[in-house]
Amino acid sequence: MAELPTTYKGIPLIKHRSPHTLTKTPTDPIPIAIIGGTGLSSLPSPPFHPIAQIPPFPTPWGLPSSGIAILRYDPASAFPRPSSNPSNTSSPTPTSKPTTIAFLARHGTSHSLAPHEIPNRANVAALKKLGVKVAVGFSAVGSLREEVKPRDFCVVGGVVDWTKGVRPWTFFENGVVGHVSMAEPYDRVLSKAVYDAISPPGVLEGEGVTVHNGNTVICIEGPQFSTTSESLLYRSLPTSPPISIINMSAVPECKLFREAEIGYALVCMSTDYDSWHATNEGVSVEMVLGHMVANGGNARRAVEAILAAVGGGAEGVVEEVGKRWKGGSRGGVLGLGKEKGGGGGEAVERLRWLFGDEWVDGGK
């Protein structure tokens, strides 16, 4: 097989003038990104046709978790789609044209990064540099509620941060202070489009597989699974809606996408009942891996359905969400007026790399 190009639309990402500078910015932005989590480290061809494989490139916050695959989703090659269930012939309605997306593996292509080791700032910054407006993440989770069965999918609505504060969680620091609202950590319009795309019967395979909506996820530090006492505590916390799923990677990813003005939705795939459930003795890797295989296949089906809903000839959602968050962080940022070389100067230049001159200089 011939090697894929390492540039896309004139982005020579290997050659750079400094560790924080690309020689050229995208001439044709890639508005949609998919973040692959545990169980989704790649997307198959067909129907996801490789255009380029961009190696990890330097950002002011280091290298991203993996190279970024630039893929073209071609709905024509997805129909008819093979199914392990002969009676299931359901497929999402194809879009009018192919959709170009960016795909990044959160834990690395060989799953070599623990949750606390994920370079979240570099991941988000790299996607922002490619012109991404909306991103949909996939993540394995444990269930804290009986109704969320292993192999069920959840479109997340809220998050509780139970991490230990050791993960870098903001772009605004070292002389630049930024405050953004996290009341709704996931974009409402994008999340609804995602739920509407993957919830119809037949989109996901498996008897009894259900897609839940608006779940609250609690993000713990990991990499260890919860103790039984912790699991019972999380179930008892008085959130609305109640915490129903648990994972180790939702934070700070959602916070950084919000700061970067990228609309974000999170799809979670249940693999176990954590440690609270009376029918098991806690979580094991073997248990998780067994359900992960089935979830991985359904995650790929979900990506197809999502792109059929928001890509190709249906970019209205992407444009609406992108417009909603454009400039959304700028009003809450202080300290950008400092002279280069003074206090906060390096921080200002990092933000200039991320957002551009117009954003930094006051949105003129």
Side-chain angles (χ1 to χ4, degrees):
M1 179 178 175
E3 289 189 3
L4 296 175
T6 56
T7 61
Y8 177 73
K9 295 293 183 183
I11 313 172
L13 296 177
I14 295 178
K15 300 177 181 178
H16 49 88
R17 292 192 296 270
S18 74
H20 300 163
T21 306
L22 300 182
T23 59
K24 198 170 184 179
T25 54
T27 57
D28 189 4
I30 304 163
I32 303 174
I34 301 295
I35 314 299
T38 303
L40 185 66
S41 59
S42 62
L43 293 171
S45 177
F48 299 94
H49 302 284
I51 298 175
Q53 181 66 39
I54 301 175
F57 60 89
T59 77
W61 299 274
L63 298 174
S65 297
S66 70
I68 299 175
I70 308 301
L71 308 171
R72 183 174 61 250
Y73 170 63
D74 185 359
S77 65
F79 303 97
R81 182 171 55 202
S83 171
S84 59
N85 178 1
S87 64
N88 181 5
T89 58
S90 173
S91 292
T93 302
T95 52
S96 61
K97 59 182 180 180
T99 302
T100 301
I101 66 168
F103 179 88
L104 184 146
R106 183 188 292 115
H107 294 275
T109 52
S110 58
H111 206 285
S112 57
L113 296 171
H116 65 283
E117 296 176 320
I118 297 169
N120 288 286
R121 292 191 295 185
N123 289 348
V124 173
L127 295 174
K128 178 76 172 180
K129 199 67 175 178
L130 293 177
V132 168
K133 295 179 179 179
V134 302
V136 180
F138 285 78
S139 178
V141 296
S143 170
L144 295 174
R145 301 294 161 186
E146 190 81 44
E147 63 269 20
V148 181
K149 309 178 301 298
R151 304 193 184 186
D152 279 2
F153 276 46
C154 302
V155 179
V156 180
V159 64
V160 174
D161 182 357
W162 211 264
T163 59
K164 304 297 185 183
V166 300
R167 310 177 185 189
W169 63 86
T170 183
F171 291 113
F172 305 126
E173 58 183 358
N174 299 327
V176 174
V177 178
H179 301 285
V180 299
S181 172
M182 292 298 299
E184 294 184 359
Y186 303 100
D187 184 84
R188 189 186 321 113
V189 173
L190 180 62
S191 295
K192 181 181 185 303
V194 168
Y195 176 75
D196 290 346
I198 70 175
S199 58
V203 174
L204 304 185
E205 292 187 336
E207 184 177 356
V209 170
T210 302
V211 180
H212 305 268
N213 192 31
N215 301 75
T216 300
V217 61
I218 185 168
C219 183
I220 63 173
E221 188 64 48
Q224 301 85 1
F225 295 119
S226 305
T227 67
T228 299
S229 297
E230 288 169 336
S231 192
L232 291 170
L233 171 64
Y234 304 148
R235 281 173 45 84
S236 72
L237 293 175
T239 63
S240 180
I243 296 169
S244 56
I245 49 179
I246 178 171
N247 88 340
M248 303 175 189
S249 61
V251 176
E253 191 172 81
C254 64
K255 296 182 179 183
L256 294 167
F257 273 120
R258 175 58 49 82
E259 287 188 347
E261 303 177 355
I262 296 174
Y264 182 53
L266 180 62
V267 179
C268 290
M269 308 168 286
S270 176
T271 60
D272 57 82
Y273 274 120
D274 202 50
S275 303
W276 65 274
H277 202 276
T279 60
N280 67 59
E281 298 179 355
V283 190
S284 69
V285 173
E286 293 77 16
M287 178 194 306
V288 171
L289 290 176
H291 294 303
M292 203 168 68
V293 173
N295 286 347
N298 268 341
R300 293 178 181 90
R301 294 175 63 84
V303 172
E304 289 189 51
I306 291 165
L307 294 178
V310 304
E315 293 98 337
V317 170
V318 174
E319 294 304 317
E320 178 183 352
V321 173
K323 184 177 180 180
R324 177 185 179 188
W325 294 115
K326 184 177 181 181
S329 295
R330 184 62 178 83
V333 177
L334 305 172
L336 289 177
K338 298 189 177 185
E339 292 297 325
K340 200 171 182 179
E346 182 180 350
V348 171
E349 291 310 303
R350 288 184 172 196
L351 296 180
R352 193 179 298 279
W353 187 97
L354 185 66
F355 292 106
D357 293 338
E358 181 178 319
W359 191 94
V360 170
D361 295 333
K364 297 178 182 179

